[in-house]
Amino acid sequence: MKIGIIGSGNIGGTLGSHWASVGHQVMFSSRHPEELQAMADAVGAQVGDSKTAADFGDIILLAVPFGIVPALVEEIGPLEGKILIDATNPYPQRDGDIAQQVIDDANQTATGFIASQFRGAKTVKAFNSIYFKVLEEQAFQSGDDRIAVQITSDDVAAKQTVAGLIEEIGFAPQDIGSLKDSPIFEPGAPLYNQNLKIAAAEAKLSQALRQREA
Ligand SMILES: NC(=O)c1ccc[n+]([C@@H]2O[C@H](COP(=O)([O-])OP(=O)(O)OC[C@H]3O[C@@H](n4cnc5c(N)ncnc54)[C@H](OP(=O)(O)O)[C@@H]3O)[C@@H](O)[C@H]2O)c1
């Protein structure tokens, strides 16, 4: 697959390197693509600016600070027809008013906001809830040793494609449902940044759902 990485830091750099190492065509991007050349060369990936990576990928990984997304959409467009993997989280200290507004809006989820910005894309929420060092150091496990990666989407086929990308690099997709179900693995929620193996993550999800219903 052709994967464009928008934001090639802790999360984007790690995931892009993993995907390139299992044979996908990857393009890293940031505001300073020249700084990404050594990382790209190490895994046979390409570098470009954000718009070039957005045009290149059939699948786009969004791994930038949440607060810059509205400006980014102006730059790269709505990603019509592409799969958008949203790995972002809203942190008001870093991302400003826009993050606080999304958090305060009971009718809005963080990933719902991202999906509303990229209206043409098939948004899949994933990788927002795994610490980048875990992503780096615990990849390529098998069976019960795999760390869970929570995933949601309103597009079943797109979710299946991204679940495949999770499995290929040795993590276990944990299907949480549709985009509206994402808050259970957004900041402060029970499944956020737990970095659990899949069986423990399933137990944690069941417990959280029981508590919610009680
Ligand atoms: N760190 C984690 O463990 C972790 C885990 C899960 C999810 N997340 C979430 O994932 C996102 C990225 O986190 P991170 O830790 O990977 O951040 P990071 O290491 O700071 O990387 C952010 C990337 O975005 C690029 N960037 C910043 N502003 C940009 C812009 N206006 N246009 C294009 N690229 C831009 C940066 O490169 P330049 O400055 O060179 O442009 C950098 O490549 C955040 O929303 C974070 O909450 C983080």
Side-chain angles (χ1 to χ4, degrees), residues 22-36:
V22 296
H24 293 294
Q25 294 179 59
V26 169
M27 183 181 287
F28 291 113
S29 73
S30 76
R31 290 167 300 183
H32 311 99
E34 66 287 352
E35 294 174 5
L36 307 172

Side-chain angles (χ1 to χ4, degrees), residues 6-13 29-33 35-36 50 62-68 71-72 75 87-91 94-95 127-133 135 192-193:
I6 312 280
S8 304
N10 295 323
I11 289 293
S29 73
S30 76
R31 290 167 300 183
H32 311 99
E35 294 174 5
L36 307 172
S50 302
L62 186 67
V64 294
F66 186 90
I68 66 108
L72 186 69
E75 198 183 326
T88 67
N89 289 302
Y91 279 104
R94 179 192 64 197
D95 298 313
F127 296 110
N128 69 300
S129 184
I130 184 166
Y131 181 44
F132 80 96
K133 284 205 176 296
L135 201 53
Y192 184 67
N193 199 19

